[in-house]
Amino acid sequence: MKNTKQANPPRQNGLFRGGLKALYRTLTVVAVLFSASAASAEETHSPNILWIIAEDMSPDLACYGNKVVTTPNIDSLAAKGMRFSNVFTTAPACSPSRTALATGVYQTTLDAHHMRYSSELRSNLPKAVKVLPELMRENGYYTGNIKGICGTGTGKDDWQFNVPGKSWDTHSWKELSKRQPFFAQINSSQSHRGFSSTKNIAKEKIKIPPYYPDHPVSRHDWAGYYNEINKFDRQVGDILKRLETEDLAKNTIVCVFADHGRPMIRGKNWLYDSGTQIPLVIYFPEGMKKPKAYQAGKTNTELLSAIDLVAETVLMAGGKIPAWMQGRSFLRKNSKPRNYIHTAVDRIGNVDTCSRAIRSDRFKYIRNFKTPGSINECTTAYRRASHSIYHLLNIMEDKNLLTPAQAQLLKPLADEELYDLVNDPYETVNLIGNKDLESIHNKLKEQMAEWIEFSKDKGLEKESAAIVEHFREYGKTTMKSRAKSIQKRRLSVEKYFE
């Protein structure tokens, strides 16, 4: 706008001065309205950010090499976006993992590391720590954990701490889409048990990991899981179409990932890659300004923790990563790659575990601070009622039909485990005691000890009597309530051996 003020204005009579003042007032109003309009336009250029979260899903997608599933929508998003091949959650179970995703801080640092606290035993967040929706609001975003959209949207949080004040602004997509820029998550329970069908899955093509019996029970279980992944992909496709229909696609960054690994014995609840490795696909629309390290159509192979997505999301919104946050950026010019991934698991319902793992690009070291029994024995009542492979392993052990790798799931946990992930991707050969790897063992052990101290790991502190009693009672109650379901599941597997 040109400056209407003259350097040497002529003298004016009263009438002219009044008219000029009115003109100035009009121009001032127009300028203010124009400024507000420009600010509003600038706000709409801030990208919307959408997380689509699967439950209990490893990188078992076609774009990650799986030849049994059919996932064209996520595959297409990966082809035009960016796929990440080495992403790991901080925990192999939903509530501790989601606790970290809510804050960008390890659940063990927050004293929120167990799964299924009673409400009165949950800790408060440290004063400095804020949940991600609050951080996004501070950056001008409207936030939502959406329920009931495109056949999905559970509104699940499952945070294991007391929520400080307001979390999300809305659970309604209709309300969210009117308030831009927005940050939202849509949670799908599709790949969580129970599995509804094995339809359209070629069971004979399923590659069963060597630690499971290659048996019709195993193939049926995996087929059910894969079919749920196919359904999740269709949900993702419907959500993407919704963005297009509502003219939101061109200004919405989409992130598709999972809360932890697959819902199988030795997967979920355990620190092997099958329990902690997840898919991650990020898509920036064409024409949108992108971070330096984002490369459309490429695959990123760096080690990433899921909490790094929390930090990166703050940066996507134009904010700064808080000093207290343990997640770090990975798409920026100055992003610092990780040398190690740290994961942890503590009490899972009635199972009293405490293990920590450190993973490099080749080796993984696991320290089991508690060894309550075998992997198969450390199965919650819920899982005994829903996992046929749990019963299959027990029955086949009784009949002496298991291979050494399968039988290992029924032997007591070792205090320490070390795996060469290149030569042994299924983590079946424990290399503790191998003299050629002694220096690697010691190095990883040392790095783990440093991390435990640096991160102020609350899971290694003495538990209160209230915590011990709560989980003991939880175990008794759930075992009693699921006794009939457990027996029914056992009988369904026994039929194969009659």
Side-chain angles (χ1 to χ4, degrees), residues 192-234:
H192 193 287
R193 289 179 184 268
F195 308 145
S196 59
S197 171
T198 60
K199 191 176 180 181
N200 300 323
I201 299 295
K203 295 179 184 178
E204 70 280 0
K205 294 183 179 180
I206 296 173
K207 187 176 181 181
I208 301 294
Y211 42 79
Y212 301 137
D214 189 350
H215 186 277
V217 166
S218 303
R219 291 190 174 275
H220 182 83
D221 202 44
W222 277 72
Y225 165 60
Y226 283 165
N227 193 54
E228 299 304 317
I229 290 176
N230 290 349
K231 291 179 183 178
F232 172 67
D233 181 78
R234 291 195 288 272

Side-chain angles (χ1 to χ4, degrees), residues 69-87:
V69 298
T70 305
T71 54
N73 296 296
I74 301 174
D75 298 345
S76 175
L77 199 69
K80 62 184 181 180
M82 197 167 186
R83 182 175 70 92
F84 298 81
S85 61
N86 276 312
V87 186

Side-chain angles (χ1 to χ4, degrees), residues 340-371:
Y340 303 106
I341 292 292
H342 296 276
T343 53
V345 65
D346 293 273
R347 289 180 182 269
I348 304 289
N350 60 289
V351 179
D352 184 13
T353 57
C354 179
S355 299
R356 301 292 180 264
I358 179 171
R359 188 197 197 281
S360 68
D361 57 354
R362 178 166 182 177
F363 292 97
K364 179 185 288 181
Y365 171 68
I366 302 174
R367 176 73 169 92
N368 296 310
F369 292 94
K370 293 180 180 178
T371 52

Side-chain angles (χ1 to χ4, degrees), residues 401-456:
L401 296 174
L402 298 177
T403 67
Q406 296 156 12
Q408 189 61 44
L409 272 65
L410 294 105
K411 294 179 180 178
L413 283 171
D415 292 331
E416 296 180 282
E417 302 174 62
L418 178 67
Y419 299 103
D420 180 341
L421 301 167
V422 172
N423 294 313
D424 179 25
Y426 289 109
E427 299 165 87
T428 60
V429 181
N430 187 357
L431 298 172
I432 291 293
N434 186 320
K435 292 185 178 181
D436 293 337
L437 298 176
E438 188 173 354
S439 61
I440 291 172
H441 174 204
N442 290 335
K443 177 66 173 177
L444 293 176
K445 192 172 184 177
E446 178 184 313
Q447 289 290 328
M448 177 185 286
E450 289 181 6
W451 170 252
I452 287 171
E453 182 177 358
F454 173 78
S455 66
K456 297 179 173 59

Side-chain angles (χ1 to χ4, degrees), residues 133 167 215 239 244 262 280 306 347 382 415 420 442 490:
S167 53
H215 186 277
I239 293 168
E244 290 281 357
R262 64 178 75 100
L280 172 62
R347 289 180 182 269
Y382 156 72
D415 292 331
D420 180 341
N442 290 335
R490 165 89 184 196

Side-chain angles (χ1 to χ4, degrees), residues 287-337:
M288 181 181 289
K289 186 177 180 181
K290 302 170 181 65
K292 292 288 184 181
Y294 177 85
Q295 295 180 293
K298 301 294 184 180
T299 297
N300 180 303
T301 61
E302 292 179 9
L303 291 172
L304 300 179
S305 175
I307 57 173
D308 296 337
L309 179 60
V310 182
E312 192 63 52
T313 297
V314 173
L315 295 179
M316 290 175 185
K320 294 182 179 180
I321 302 173
W324 48 261
M325 189 175 285
Q326 293 166 331
R328 59 174 68 173
S329 71
F330 55 91
L331 288 178
R332 310 293 152 168
K333 186 177 181 180
N334 61 347
S335 294
K336 185 179 178 182

